[in-house]
Amino acid sequence: SSDHLRHVESMAQLPSGAGKISHLNAVILGETLASEENDLVFPSQDFSRQALVSSPEQYRKMYERSIQDPAGFWSEIASQFYWKEKWDPEVYNENIDVRKGTVKFEWFKGASTNISYNALDRNIEAGNGGKVAIYWEGNEPGDDEQLTYAELLEKVCQLANYLKHVGVRKGAAVVIYLPMLMELLISMLACARIGAVHSVVFAGFSAESLAQRIIDCKPKVVITCNAVRRGPKAIHLKDIVDSAINESVKSGVPVGLCLTFENQSAMKREDTKWQEGRDVWWQDVVPQFPTKCAVEWVDAEDPLFLLYTSGSTGKPKGVLHTTGGYMVYTATTFKYAFDHKPSDIYWCTADCGWITGHSYVTYGPLLNGATVVVFEGAPNYPNSGRCWDIVDKYKVTLFYTAPTLVRSLMREGDEYVTRYHRKSLRVLGSVGEPINPSAWRWFYNVVGDSRCPISDTWWQTETGGFMITPLPGAWPQKPGSATFPFFGVQPVIVDEKGNEIEGECSGYLCIKKSWPGAFRTLYGDHERYQTTYFKPFAGYYFTGDGCSRDKDGYFWLTGRVDDVINVSGHRIGTAEVESALVSHPHCAEAAVVGVEHEIKGQSIYAFVSLVEGVSYSEGIRKSLILAVRNQIGAFAAPDKIHWAPALPKTRSGKIMRRILRKIASGQLDELGDTSTLADPNVVDQLIALSDC
Ligand code: 6R9
């Protein structure tokens, strides 16, 4: 219709839309899109008409306002939440420039609020107490439960009261090591209710990694469960926690209380190893506490949680998020990037052990009064159709996942998808790594029946919420591009010297001004915070990502430019894997690089030199991999161990990873200049050993 055409044309004007008409025709005629990267994919007219932001013009207006008047923009949004005390007239202050002194971001300073109150009580008071907050789907199909907002609040209050009873006070740390049970969200919200600082550790981390985090943040309580089933496997989490606590006791960090949820479908209490005096069954104590618990009002800048993440060097970093800005930011980004409406059913496949689970399973959705699906199991169990089975079962409208899952399901064939209806779906989302255009198209055409816009959300643990993301009703999309910045975000691309570059270009992605959801420090190490993020390009926050911008202004993230590897959307520092490898008594030296992987995005490739007198064998290979599994977790295990009699080093002893990356990916004709190596023969030796 001509109406449709006008609509489509108005979109095409932004970004500079001339020359796009052939693509428009393709969309209007329902033809399959050609496979060039620069195709525009438009939201349907019906979608845009009902969307919160329905045109590029509307986006532009809101975006410009957010940049010109951040204080006005964010304080208006913040006013939709409950604040016990309003902020000082000043909405925010920042110093992002290390050259001007200590880097510091503050939002809504002087205000007091509570995020748990805003997510639960506020929604209940608005009449939504009977609305389902959580649909929980167990590992086994047919095993499910649900909680309304009112029921969730009661459970949160009981745990909050228990935690207070055992002496957890405002500001105290609580470590949570739980799989995707409702109790994980309950634990986060209970901590927040009493002002305790939660640190969720992904339940795939090993005992040593858990111990390292416990030793760093010294929790009063560790919350866990006895075991979990994922797919056909049972994992005994309590055993892992036991060894982690033993380890931390040895380091002088005793943990007095381990609150353990009995996950009956995975393991009976009789079979669980138990330490009297320290271990307490959740079911024995928590239900006895009152279902009402007064809120602890906290300052907007009081810490909400710590989440450890990998960097390019050294130990994992404790990323610290505070309360007020994070609350406003996660709620707002969730609402706009998914075009959330009260009737939506939202499912994010991420685990709460990662930032995506914090911001977009728990806080962002619940702050919006959303209904959230929480899934305990594995997406390919009992078969590769499980996700769509769940989508149909709960009539999921917003589905948010990672490219690695999209690629692995794509490989299993369309039939697993098409045998389900999926008619409920409205918006799809992607996060964790760049989504390659072919996976994007499959997600769009097959999963979403060419009907659902895809929000490819670029962000990080550090940013708290989405930074560059489509608003699904506003923009024509380009498969593989995260499109444009969210409100209030000023991304810039800089060159090697830190000069901003304009227009069509590639370089390093930085952010120019503070935003409410930004992390405030690295726990206990503000110096490292400044050095890692604010010194590489003085005057900016450095993301660690490479990025290009096309002629239409779309942003294309190209992956990490530092020594961080992204395996299936999980961040892993090469230094952490190397340190696990060299802890093996037979390993003399190790160098780890990421190589492209069809499903996982990247996989871990390790070059290992053994100590004198030991020769390479299958047994040693296995035990090296085991060392990484034990120290970090199974998800960080190298796919390949490449035996290296020596590593290529410069004369000053620096390992030349550039060369190792080329060898690992088989690009032997692109080794470049090897003349600066202390011993250029090393390279030939390594190539000769490639297939061992
Ligand atoms: C949310 C999350 C952050 C790193 C980030 C980047 C990569 C995440 C992306 C993406 C391209 C996207 N990344 N989302 N790259 N497009 N939509 O994943 O946080 O675990 O801290 O990882 O992930 O490289 O720097 P985190």
Side-chain angles (χ1 to χ4, degrees):
S1 69
S2 62
D3 190 21
H4 187 179
L5 252 182
R6 244 198 324 279
H7 169 76
V8 165
E9 276 165 6
S10 85
M11 292 198 148
Q13 281 159 19
L14 252 180
S16 65
K20 296 289 179 224
I21 297 303
S22 58
H23 300 305
L24 302 189
N25 287 337
V27 173
I28 291 160
L29 298 173
E31 287 170 16
T32 325
L33 292 156
S35 58
E36 311 143 38
E37 302 224 333
N38 271 340
D39 281 335
L40 290 176
V41 179
F42 289 85
S44 72
Q45 188 189 18
D46 284 347
F47 187 94
S48 285
R49 195 180 274 149
Q50 61 79 57
L52 295 169
V53 181
S54 53
S55 67
E57 292 75 12
Q58 194 187 345
Y59 162 82
R60 180 178 266 178
K61 235 192 235 152
M62 290 175 79
Y63 180 73
E64 277 170 9
R65 160 104 206 278
S66 75
I67 299 303
Q68 280 153 15
D69 177 21
F73 181 87
W74 287 114
S75 63
E76 262 168 40
I77 290 179
S79 301
Q80 297 158 19
F81 294 92
Y82 180 79
W83 304 81
K84 180 80 183 154
E85 215 92 48
K86 277 270 155 112
W87 45 93
D88 303 339
E90 191 181 60
V91 176
Y92 74 103
N93 66 66
E94 64 173 23
N95 175 35
I96 198 168
D97 191 341
V98 264
R99 294 164 303 192
K100 296 184 182 149
T102 308
V103 173
K104 189 171 191 170
F105 295 170
E106 288 175 329
W107 285 82
F108 313 111
K109 181 84 178 148
S112 60
T113 188
N114 184 291
I115 196 169
S116 183
Y117 181 89
N118 273 292
L120 303 173
D121 313 56
R122 189 179 54 100
N123 286 318
I124 293 166
E125 275 154 34
N128 287 322
K131 183 175 178 179
V132 173
I134 302 175
Y135 281 120
W136 181 79
E137 170 81 4
N139 184 58
E140 300 300 323
D143 187 8
D144 54 33
E145 284 174 51
Q146 66 184 62
L147 286 179
T148 63
Y149 270 86
E151 290 164 342
L152 176 59
L153 174 62
E154 291 191 351
K155 296 217 177 260
V156 167
C157 286
Q158 287 184 315
L159 179 60
N161 280 320
Y162 172 75
L163 290 174
K164 282 210 292 204
H165 172 76
V166 298
V168 177
R169 301 275 172 265
K170 182 178 166 189
V174 172
V175 162
I176 304 171
Y177 187 73
L178 279 172
M180 289 298 275
L181 301 174
M182 293 195 283
E183 284 66 25
L184 175 45
L185 285 78
I186 292 168
S187 300
M188 295 166 79
L189 292 161
C191 289
R193 191 165 192 89
I194 61 172
V197 182
H198 59 70
S199 183
V200 183
V201 178
F202 172 58
F205 274 111
S206 67
E208 285 192 40
S209 288
L210 177 58
Q212 196 176 36
R213 287 154 174 77
I214 291 173
I215 292 163
D216 196 59
C217 74
K218 305 180 181 55
K220 183 135 194 150
V221 181
V222 174
I223 305 180
T224 188
C225 69
N226 52 352
V228 65
R229 279 191 183 283
R230 253 184 87 76
K233 284 186 294 194
I235 304 154
H236 295 177
L237 294 182
K238 178 66 166 45
D239 291 350
I240 298 172
V241 174
D242 286 348
S243 26
I245 294 181
N246 290 342
E247 190 63 40
S248 66
V249 169
K250 276 191 227 147
S251 305
V253 180
V255 174
L257 178 60
C258 178
L259 181 66
T260 309
F261 184 80
E262 183 187 4
N263 193 15
Q264 287 183 359
S265 65
M267 191 184 207
K268 294 273 167 283
R269 45 170 88 183
E270 307 82 80
D271 303 326
T272 309
K273 288 200 204 99
W274 207 246
Q275 186 168 321
E276 278 315 323
R278 185 198 69 189
D279 300 344
V280 175
W281 288 111
W282 175 308
Q283 283 92 333
D284 287 354
V285 290
V286 176
Q288 292 167 19
F289 281 80
T291 53
K292 286 200 164 67
C293 173
V295 163
E296 179 82 40
W297 301 107
V298 300
D299 190 277
E301 283 299 336
D302 276 339
L304 174 63
F305 68 85
L306 268 178
L307 181 59
Y308 289 85
T309 189
S310 294
S312 47
T313 56
K315 292 189 305 178
K317 307 175 280 197
V319 168
L320 185 115
H321 282 284
T322 58
T323 305
Y326 177 84
M327 174 172 85
V328 171
Y329 199 70
T330 52
T332 312
T333 46
F334 173 80
K335 176 173 158 183
Y336 286 105
F338 292 116
D339 190 48
H340 177 258
K341 307 286 162 53
S343 56
D344 277 314
I345 309 290
Y346 166 78
W347 179 25
C348 166
T349 64
D351 191 290
C352 286
W354 309 107
I355 190 67
T356 305
H358 282 66
S359 302
Y360 301 108
V361 173
T362 305
Y363 291 115
L366 295 179
L367 285 163
N368 279 282
T371 297
V372 182
V373 175
V374 172
F375 177 42
E376 177 192 35
N380 54 0
Y381 177 81
N383 62 54
S384 301
R386 184 69 187 275
C387 287
W388 324 119
D389 183 45
I390 295 174
V391 164
D392 281 358
K393 176 171 174 183
Y394 297 102
K395 307 269 180 299
V396 170
T397 57
L398 315 173
F399 176 71
Y400 187 33
T401 194
T404 183
L405 182 68
V406 175
R407 287 190 297 261
S408 75
L409 295 178
M410 182 171 146
R411 194 176 59 171
E412 301 300 319
D414 296 2
E415 308 76 59
Y416 279 113
V417 185
T418 53
R419 71 166 76 132
Y420 295 96
H421 287 289
R422 294 160 288 109
K423 293 275 180 284
S424 54
L425 290 171
R426 287 199 318 118
V427 181
L428 304 174
S430 172
V431 60
E433 53 174 315
I435 179 162
N436 44 308
S438 64
W440 195 102
R441 284 203 174 78
W442 184 81
F443 200 22
Y444 183 80
N445 290 325
V446 180
V447 173
D449 282 333
S450 311
R451 191 187 67 237
C452 311
I454 297 179
S455 284
D456 174 4
T457 60
W458 174 83
W459 61 297
Q460 309 177 295
T461 304
E462 293 86 344
T463 69
F466 306 151
M467 299 294 278
I468 300 181
T469 178
L471 300 185
W475 290 108
Q477 303 186 313
K478 296 189 185 188
S481 163
T483 71
F484 297 97
F486 191 74
F487 306 135
V489 175
Q490 294 191 56
V492 293
I493 299 179
V494 303
D495 65 16
E496 232 124 81
K497 298 199 184 77
N499 299 314
E500 272 182 47
I501 35 186
E502 309 282 335
E504 202 178 340
C505 63
S506 334
Y508 302 96
L509 182 65
C510 290
I511 312 288
K512 212 172 173 168
K513 301 280 278 176
S514 105
W515 64 100
F519 68 140
R520 304 300 198 247
T521 192
L522 293 179
Y523 181 63
D525 202 348
H526 201 69
E527 199 47 51
R528 188 176 178 198
Y529 172 77
Q530 302 197 126
T531 311
T532 311
Y533 301 101
F534 298 93
K535 284 188 183 160
F537 300 105
Y540 305 103
Y541 163 72
F542 174 46
T543 64
D545 278 317
C547 183
S548 62
R549 185 169 44 214
D550 68 18
K551 61 182 187 323
D552 300 324
Y554 282 71
F555 286 87
W556 298 78
L557 278 300
T558 52
R560 303 286 306 194
V561 294
D562 52 11
D563 289 323
V564 171
I565 306 180
N566 191 327
V567 180
S568 300
H570 301 326
R571 264 169 81 166
I572 299 164
T574 50
E576 287 170 69
V577 182
E578 286 163 4
S579 119
L581 288 168
V582 297
S583 74
H584 187 288
H586 291 150
C587 177
E589 204 173 15
V592 166
V593 297
V595 291
E596 211 173 296
H597 186 280
E598 207 190 330
I599 304 292
K600 298 194 267 192
Q602 280 188 304
S603 71
I604 300 181
Y605 194 113
F607 293 87
V608 171
S609 305
L610 299 177
V611 294
E612 278 294 317
V614 177
S615 51
Y616 189 71
S617 69
E618 182 55 18
I620 289 193
R621 190 186 72 84
K622 285 201 172 125
S623 67
L624 285 164
I625 291 174
L626 194 63
V628 180
R629 295 173 75 103
N630 287 341
Q631 285 200 20
I632 306 176
F635 64 91
D639 276 7
K640 168 86 182 173
I641 303 277
H642 188 136
W643 180 39
L647 292 169
K649 290 184 186 167
T650 62
R651 287 186 197 98
S652 59
K654 231 171 124 62
I655 295 174
M656 291 192 72
R657 283 169 201 280
R658 175 179 60 80
I659 292 175
L660 292 177
R661 272 188 214 110
K662 294 291 179 197
I663 296 174
S665 56
Q667 294 164 298
L668 302 181
D669 47 347
E670 293 171 28
L671 291 176
D673 183 11
T674 54
S675 64
T676 54
L677 288 174
D679 178 6
N681 294 324
V682 169
V683 174
D684 295 328
Q685 270 179 3
L686 283 180
I687 294 172
L689 288 165
S690 281
D691 296 317
C692 297

